[in-house]
Amino acid sequence: MRMMKALFLTLTLGAPISVSSACAETLKVAGPWEIAGIEPAQTGYVFSRLQVAETLVTTDKQGTLAPGLAKRWTVSDDGLNWSFALRDNAVFHDGTKVTAEAAVASLRRTLGGVGVLAQAPIAEIAGEGGEIRIKLHKPFSALPAYLVHFSTIILAPSSFDGAGKITGIVGSGPYQVKTLTPPARLELEGSGRWWGGEPGISEVSYLAVGQGETRALMAESGEADLVFSMLPVSVDRLKANPKLDVQIATIPRTRILKVNAASPFFDQIEERQAISAAIDRVGITKVILRNADLAATQLFPPAMKGWNIARVEPLTQDVEKAKALLAAAGWTPGRDGILEKDGKRFSVTMLTYSSWPELPPLATALQAQLRRVGINVKVSVGNSSEIPARHKDGTLEMGLISRLYSIVPDPVGTLLQDYGPGGSDWGATGWDNKEMQAVVEKLAATSDASVRAPLQTQAVEILQQELPSIPVTWSELAIVSSKRITGVAVDPLEVNYGLSSIRWVK
Amino acid sequence: MSTIDNMTSTRARTGVGTARLAGAGLLILLGGFALLGPLVISSDPSAQDLGASLAPIGGDYLLGADHYGRSLLARLAHGARLSFGMAFLTMLAAAVPGILLGLAAAWKGGWAERMLEFVATVVLALPGLMLVLLLLAFSPGDYGPLFLGLSLTLWVEFYRLTKATTRTVLAQPHIEAARMLGFGSRYILVHYVLPVIGPMIATLSAFAMATAIIAVSTLSAISVGLQPPTPELGSMIVELLPYFAEAPVHVLLPAVLIFLLVLGLQLLAQGDRA
Amino acid sequence: MKNFLVARLLQAGIVSVAVGALCFILMRVLPGDAAMRIAAGRYGPDARIADAAEKVRLELGLDRPIAMQFLEWLGSLARFDLGHSLVTGRAVAHELQVQLGASVWLAAAALVLSLLIGPIVGLFGGLKPGGAADRLGLMGAVIFRAIPPFVLGLILMLVFSRQLGWLPPAGFGSPREILLPALTLALGLAAMSSRVTRNAVAAVAQAPYFAFARYKGLSEPIVVRRHGLRNAAIPVVSYLGLQAIYLIEGVVVVESLFAYPGIGHALVHAIVERDIPMVQGTALMMGLMFVAIGAAVDLLTLWLDPRTGKTV
């Protein structure tokens, strides 16, 4: 015992020497994302959020587009030629100027890889004299929004080797990479070259902490000054802590039940509506998410202006209605209470995955609720790729997924994929609705707000009536910060966490 | 020499009789709970009532309800049955081949031992976690691969301990003498080897069962174990863990059940020593 | 001795090829589309995985014959090249250096801590079976053995980080940060090793030669040192070897709880994401380490009890 104590003391006393010199002014950040690789299409969001690299276009705190590395942009009258003017004073961390040539090289590389840019109808990217010109095949109003995506961060030519393989992140943001220890730690320091001035705190250390409970303890023990993505259950406890501030923002992410509308279980609209009516959204959100306001009465959350339509009839629980709808669709209770039709039992597999820690608990709750209307659900928690794989080969029955509608800040980008012909990985399966496709196509072609508003309403109404994906809950992002720092703001689109404007409280 | 043997063993036997009884009693109680509980307790372990989320102990629910409002009593009973059954089968599937092969290797030596040693080394060199994960990847959430993977990693332990100890015993002068005097293998096994390896195997079996119980719960913690709503004790802890600040006793209940299971096993193993 | 080393080297070679082949076969016969898994591993659950998977398939040549891919792996292995991770794109050797290295440090710290606790508790218990020290030791062992590691880790975190504020709940790189995860592992290990030590000591204490030594009139400490420790150490050493192995792989939950970037964590990801070179490389390195540990255990046993040398 004495030996243990001695060892304990040596280790603990020895340690502060190495730590204290650096930690005095280092901003310690913890979040759930691991830095698996440095390819921008994979982990560009870490570098975008922590302000190491910048995109041409960014968003402000209201979620509207704002100038990033490009100070302004214009589009030709035919909607085919876009032009982005670069800031004159932007410099990469290696000291070279952010030129149109460098930005074009970086964007062309992105265009050739995996990422959202490859999904835009881009014909050519060129540039000279501080202007980047993007030529399109067809008018596409959401192009600037696509250039907010983290995969389009502009990196200096010195980030790549001769073969175009990325070797380091040389960006243009207020922070530059000091050391990176994948997958867990990233140390940043002020670059001293940023066009926006010097950051308030020049040393930042990011630690990837996967477990939500551990993150909460990091905040409580003062080992982290800023912690992202708190578990809903720990939020109340953290709010009561006098040393901490908790900020919460609704984010444009919805957990939905993706059903295969081509399978015999969900091919009729009544069946999908019955599933929706069988779900106790308020109960689920109260118990698991600790906020009944997150019950998804329609696909898009209220924070998405123009996409949350007040007049559509909200999705609510009504078990009797659910049973009546299922009976109307030809399902009758069998001997064990499970519904049957033509000798086939209503027994389906619900695929889900644990990349989002709340999905398996939600699936467990949904399983019990669907059982009450006579539907037998087998929950299978696997890898996130199983849902796209089963979507592709048509064997998917039901999947509980978490869908982000701000992958590009304009939800049209996501809708185009999700509800276009053939559906998509995270959108509809076996649901081919010409009316919806026409509405989304029209939305994609125009940026005129007065033309778009009625189209957006129409799209939401179709989705509410047809339910190709059944909304379950909306999402929120909780951020905890120590009272030692000030200037923390939540970015609901999670593009940029604004670390550079954080300061120590004097 | 035999008098000394007798003396020491009688002395040890009297000292642990109570521990053994207590262990057996505890295991019988838990076994009864695991076997009869699910029959007696009528409530469905997966029936939810979100209105009764985290219901306190002693109210409508005898042992309270979890966050989904599921009866913890029913879940504990089903969980005990599952953990007990799984651990016992895993231990058996690991111990029987492990001990037999270990004895064979120590007895025969030479070529047979070298072959066995190689197989054991390869299995041992395969990270056990990887084996379990790979097998689980074939059919996620099923009992089969979980059980198979755990026994495949655990048998080596029985094999090695049996082999090492048996070889030491056989190398002792008085046993070499006994062998030379023409005492049969059976006699040596029963009189000299088993008394020595017996207590170790008993301890190891208890540990193996405990390891199996904890391994299954650990796999639940990295979400590759059994699928919801299976009432597995480890996954019950994991599911309730986020609520530890609000309902600490609820989180502790499955942990206490695991604790009691392992305690019973250990006490029983203690008694087998002499 | 020379023969022993040659035999072990040969064994290491055979084991590494066997382990590599086994991993390769298992990974290839697993159900599910590897390209999809890799794409999901690379681009995360928000991406368009089906599209990305097509590019991944082309880039990695996953459609080539399986035998050819295995021969390629063997070929590069002969050049001591473990290939590149399919997910992160970095060299597997580099990934292992960081992650396996981190785990080895954690395991070593845990082993040292457990050796300070376990065998000592066991020795006292074993000398007087049924005594107070034995009972206390048993109680401690049962408690720490019966608590799942993630619960134990959480309790330690609550005590040392939240209540006392002494140690950080997560992180890596400094002794401060390694202490909590190492202690979590060490307590579980000490629980096991203390009981094995205790039983071995108790068995030795009852053995005729031990009693005979006492009859000879030797003092208690000398009896314990000359006749007790050496014989009792044999099963303990053999058990410790196994423990060291379990440690390296048993760290996975502790690693994920304490955000420690070790090999257990990496292995889970690699298997789920079908990162074949990573799984093969990890299995290979761990296999070699296990062979080395096995050799060390055998050498120690040989030294402790030369009679067993006959069959080595």
Side-chain angles (χ1 to χ4, degrees):
Chain A
M1 212 52 217
R2 192 175 294 161
M3 273 166 85
M4 223 191 97
K5 198 172 164 192
L7 183 90
F8 184 86
L9 288 176
T10 13
L11 288 176
T12 40
L13 292 177
I17 304 165
S18 60
V19 179
S20 58
S21 59
C23 80
E25 64 273 323
T26 301
L27 178 70
K28 287 181 281 183
V29 182
W33 343 282
E34 292 193 345
I35 310 157
I38 53 169
E39 180 60 46
Q42 288 178 237
T43 46
Y45 58 90
V46 174
F47 301 104
S48 162
R49 288 172 185 176
L50 299 181
Q51 292 187 293
V52 175
E54 298 172 292
T55 45
L56 288 181
V57 184
T58 186
T59 53
D60 61 17
K61 295 290 170 246
Q62 283 71 48
T64 45
L65 298 182
L69 273 178
K71 56 187 173 188
R72 60 171 183 273
W73 52 91
T74 52
V75 60
S76 62
D77 290 338
D78 59 4
L80 290 176
N81 290 295
W82 290 76
S83 168
F84 296 82
L86 283 175
R87 280 178 196 282
D88 310 314
N89 53 351
V91 179
F92 287 119
H93 297 152
D94 61 1
T96 58
K97 206 171 169 320
V98 180
T99 59
E101 288 76 14
V104 166
S106 186
L107 285 174
R108 278 187 184 154
R109 186 178 180 278
T110 309
L111 185 63
V114 174
V116 296
L117 210 54
Q119 294 149 25
I122 294 176
E124 194 196 6
I125 302 178
E128 58 187 325
E131 282 228 331
I132 297 156
R133 286 191 296 276
I134 300 181
K135 201 172 177 178
L136 304 180
H137 294 302
K138 58 178 182 179
F140 189 64
S141 65
L143 183 70
Y146 273 58
L147 293 171
V148 178
H149 191 258
F150 60 78
S151 64
T152 70
I153 48 176
I154 305 294
L155 298 178
S158 62
S159 307
F160 311 101
D161 65 10
K165 194 167 180 278
I166 188 149
T167 53
I169 296 284
V170 183
S172 58
Y175 293 106
Q176 65 188 27
V177 177
K178 196 159 85 183
T179 56
L180 168 64
T181 318
R185 178 170 283 166
L186 176 63
E187 311 254 355
L188 305 173
E189 60 190 357
S191 74
R193 295 195 168 96
W194 190 42
W195 53 267
E198 279 304 297
I201 299 173
S202 64
E203 300 273 324
V204 174
S205 162
Y206 170 76
L207 185 70
V209 182
Q211 294 279 331
E213 286 92 16
T214 312
R215 283 200 299 279
L217 284 169
M218 290 284 284
E220 286 175 304
S221 63
E223 291 289 337
D225 303 305
L226 185 59
V227 186
F228 294 104
S229 297
M230 304 314 305
L231 290 182
V233 277
S234 40
V235 164
D236 280 338
R237 193 178 84 226
L238 294 167
K239 274 183 180 161
N241 190 321
K243 286 188 217 148
L244 303 174
D245 280 323
V246 181
Q247 297 187 56
I248 293 172
T250 313
I251 53 174
R253 181 184 280 288
T254 307
R255 286 99 180 199
I256 53 182
L257 265 179
K258 169 181 167 71
V259 293
N260 184 350
S263 79
F265 302 110
F266 308 108
D267 54 343
Q268 297 176 59
I269 196 166
E270 289 83 3
E271 289 161 333
R272 302 194 293 266
Q273 287 171 342
I275 303 282
S276 172
I279 300 174
D280 177 12
R281 295 178 177 81
V282 176
I284 293 178
T285 46
K286 244 190 216 157
V287 167
I288 299 169
L289 304 178
R290 294 297 168 99
N291 180 358
D293 293 341
L294 292 177
T297 53
Q298 51 182 296
L299 188 60
F300 301 109
M304 289 174 72
K305 297 276 174 301
W307 290 95
N308 182 284
I309 311 298
R311 67 180 156 90
V312 298
E313 194 190 331
L315 302 171
T316 50
Q317 189 190 25
D318 186 343
V319 176
E320 289 317 309
K321 184 180 147 203
K323 285 182 176 161
L325 281 166
L326 285 165
W331 292 95
T332 48
R335 211 177 306 152
D336 57 354
I338 302 298
L339 298 173
E340 285 174 5
K341 184 161 95 175
D342 309 329
K344 195 173 170 62
R345 275 161 59 87
F346 205 136
S347 181
V348 292
T349 301
M350 184 194 291
L351 293 179
T352 190
Y353 47 99
S354 50
S355 312
W356 307 109
E358 70 282 354
L359 289 184
L362 286 174
T364 311
L366 292 174
Q367 178 185 41
Q369 291 168 6
L370 293 177
R371 180 68 186 74
R372 254 172 247 159
V373 295
I375 298 172
N376 184 40
V377 176
K378 182 178 175 281
V379 172
S380 169
V381 183
N383 179 257
S384 62
S385 72
E386 270 159 48
I387 290 172
R390 304 278 295 270
H391 163 84
K392 205 172 139 199
D393 66 20
T395 56
L396 180 88
E397 288 171 334
M398 195 182 232
L400 179 68
I401 62 175
S402 176
R403 185 62 170 142
L404 182 64
Y405 293 102
S406 64
I407 291 178
V408 292
D410 188 341
V412 165
T414 313
L415 290 186
L416 264 176
Q417 291 177 23
D418 284 3
Y419 302 105
S424 83
D425 294 359
W426 307 114
T429 300
W431 184 74
D432 203 29
N433 188 298
K434 297 285 176 284
E435 192 189 355
M436 181 70 185
Q437 289 161 19
V439 170
V440 178
E441 283 295 327
K442 273 188 238 165
L443 271 169
T446 175
S447 46
D448 183 345
S450 61
V451 181
R452 288 184 71 153
L455 288 169
Q456 290 173 2
T457 307
Q458 201 186 342
V460 171
E461 280 171 343
I462 296 171
L463 292 175
Q464 190 83 347
Q465 174 68 24
E466 286 272 336
L467 293 171
S469 1
I470 300 160
V472 181
T473 81
W474 294 318
S475 309
E476 55 188 15
L477 174 73
I479 293 180
V480 181
S481 57
S482 151
K483 288 232 162 84
R484 292 168 60 214
I485 56 173
T486 175
V488 179
V490 192
D491 176 7
L493 299 187
E494 295 187 86
V495 170
N496 171 351
Y497 284 137
L499 295 188
S500 61
S501 40
I502 294 177
R503 286 182 173 45
W504 297 114
V505 174
K506 287 286 172 324
Chain B
M1 194 165 277
S2 59
T3 43
I4 301 171
D5 264 345
N6 284 343
M7 265 172 61
T8 43
S9 50
T10 34
R11 198 176 56 198
R13 227 169 240 142
T14 46
V16 286
T18 41
R20 186 185 195 170
L21 269 179
L26 193 55
L27 281 184
I28 290 170
L29 277 179
L30 290 171
F33 180 59
L35 280 174
L36 302 176
L39 303 175
V40 176
I41 301 157
S42 57
S43 45
D44 178 355
S46 41
Q48 302 184 0
D49 175 9
L50 294 181
S53 175
L54 298 177
I57 289 166
D60 290 342
Y61 297 87
L62 195 58
L63 287 181
D66 68 3
H67 49 302
Y68 298 108
R70 298 181 291 199
S71 159
L72 268 179
L73 181 63
R75 288 186 75 71
L76 287 173
H78 282 89
R81 172 187 271 189
L82 181 73
S83 288
F84 222 136
M86 211 91 169
F88 188 70
L89 283 178
T90 307
M91 185 272 288
L92 222 52
V96 172
I99 296 169
L100 290 180
L101 293 175
L103 283 174
W107 221 274
K108 293 263 186 276
W111 199 78
E113 191 204 344
R114 248 167 250 192
M115 272 302 294
L116 277 172
E117 196 60 13
F118 179 73
V119 174
T121 313
V122 171
V123 173
L124 211 57
L126 263 179
L129 170 76
M130 190 165 82
L131 206 60
V132 175
L133 284 177
L134 278 173
L135 287 170
L136 263 175
F138 278 100
S139 118
D142 274 0
Y143 300 94
L146 196 59
F147 162 72
L148 194 68
L150 288 174
S151 356
L152 269 177
T153 50
L154 285 172
W155 75 270
V156 182
E157 207 166 325
F158 284 96
Y159 163 77
R160 287 216 140 177
L161 195 71
T162 310
K163 195 198 74 180
T165 320
T166 308
R167 202 158 64 185
T168 316
V169 171
L170 290 182
Q172 279 173 13
H174 63 284
I175 296 181
E176 280 189 37
R179 277 177 109 174
M180 266 184 275
L181 283 172
F183 284 99
S185 304
R186 198 189 147 90
Y187 180 84
I188 291 171
L189 180 73
V190 173
H191 284 84
Y192 293 101
V193 178
L194 284 188
V196 178
I197 65 167
M200 291 185 182
I201 295 295
T203 311
L204 201 56
S205 303
F207 281 133
M209 281 183 71
T211 306
I213 293 174
I214 288 175
V216 175
S217 72
T218 300
L219 287 169
S220 301
I222 50 172
S223 43
V224 287
L226 299 167
Q227 304 284 11
T230 318
E232 194 274 315
L233 294 177
S235 68
M236 285 171 70
I237 304 180
V238 178
E239 282 185 343
L240 281 163
L241 209 51
Y243 301 88
F244 70 85
E246 292 161 59
V249 184
H250 291 62
V251 191
L252 280 177
L253 279 174
V256 166
L257 196 55
I258 292 184
F259 170 71
L260 289 176
L261 264 172
V262 180
L263 180 71
L265 288 167
Q266 297 239 359
L267 289 175
L268 196 66
Q270 286 302 306
D272 284 338
R273 181 165 25 85
Chain C
M1 193 44 112
K2 204 175 163 191
N3 282 342
F4 178 83
L5 281 178
V6 172
R8 282 299 181 173
L9 271 177
L10 198 70
Q11 187 193 19
I14 298 170
V15 161
S16 50
V17 174
V19 163
L22 203 61
C23 288
F24 187 83
I25 294 164
L26 277 175
M27 289 293 283
R28 290 317 299 247
V29 297
L30 279 183
D33 184 345
M36 283 271 194
R37 294 272 183 151
I38 296 166
R42 280 189 187 178
Y43 304 109
D46 280 332
R48 285 180 72 169
I49 291 170
D51 293 1
E54 291 315 310
K55 291 200 173 169
V56 167
R57 212 185 304 277
L58 278 177
E59 176 199 326
L60 300 177
L62 292 173
D63 288 335
R64 288 171 306 150
I66 288 178
M68 199 170 119
Q69 293 183 40
F70 183 63
L71 284 178
E72 278 174 15
W73 182 75
L74 275 184
S76 28
L77 186 65
R79 284 176 279 122
F80 295 103
D81 177 8
L82 293 174
H84 285 78
S85 160
L86 304 183
V87 174
T88 68
R90 273 188 302 271
V92 170
H94 177 77
E95 297 270 7
L96 286 178
Q97 197 189 332
V98 175
Q99 298 178 327
L100 193 57
S103 281
V104 168
W105 275 115
L106 178 58
L111 205 59
V112 168
L113 278 177
S114 86
L115 282 179
L116 292 176
I117 311 166
I120 293 169
V121 172
L123 180 65
F124 284 115
L127 287 175
K128 283 209 183 65
D134 190 20
R135 276 160 207 269
L136 265 176
L138 174 66
M139 222 39 227
V142 175
I143 290 174
F144 288 119
R145 195 67 197 94
I147 304 178
F150 56 94
V151 179
L152 183 59
L154 197 83
I155 293 171
L156 289 179
M157 254 187 212
L158 287 175
V159 173
F160 286 101
S161 299
R162 195 161 86 143
Q163 294 306 319
L164 300 172
W166 290 358
L167 296 168
F172 62 101
S174 80
R176 262 180 101 227
E177 286 151 339
I178 210 171
L179 211 57
L180 272 188
L183 193 61
T184 309
L185 287 168
L187 287 174
L189 278 179
M192 287 200 280
S193 62
S194 74
R195 296 322 287 168
V196 173
T197 312
R198 178 223 168 273
N199 282 0
V201 171
V204 168
Q206 285 166 30
Y209 56 84
F210 194 81
F212 186 66
R214 271 187 180 151
Y215 293 151
K216 273 199 308 195
L218 294 178
S219 71
E220 186 77 15
I222 294 178
V223 175
V224 170
R225 211 165 50 229
R226 279 208 201 145
H227 297 272
L229 279 185
R230 190 167 264 243
N231 284 300
I234 297 165
V236 176
V237 164
S238 135
Y239 203 83
L240 273 181
L242 282 164
Q243 283 198 349
I245 289 165
Y246 279 115
L247 246 184
I248 295 168
E249 63 190 47
V251 291
V252 54
V253 176
V254 170
E255 282 172 0
S256 94
L257 186 66
F258 290 95
Y260 193 87
I263 200 66
H265 179 79
L267 191 59
V268 172
H269 275 257
I271 291 178
V272 167
E273 291 157 4
R274 301 286 190 271
D275 193 347
I276 299 173
M278 200 49 204
V279 174
Q280 277 177 310
T282 310
L284 190 77
M285 287 310 293
M286 288 174 84
L288 289 177
M289 276 172 60
F290 296 171
V291 170
I293 293 170
V297 167
D298 282 358
L299 272 178
L300 262 175
T301 320
L302 194 65
W303 175 70
L304 286 165
D305 187 358
R307 286 169 304 178
T308 52
K310 284 183 292 189
T311 46
V312 171

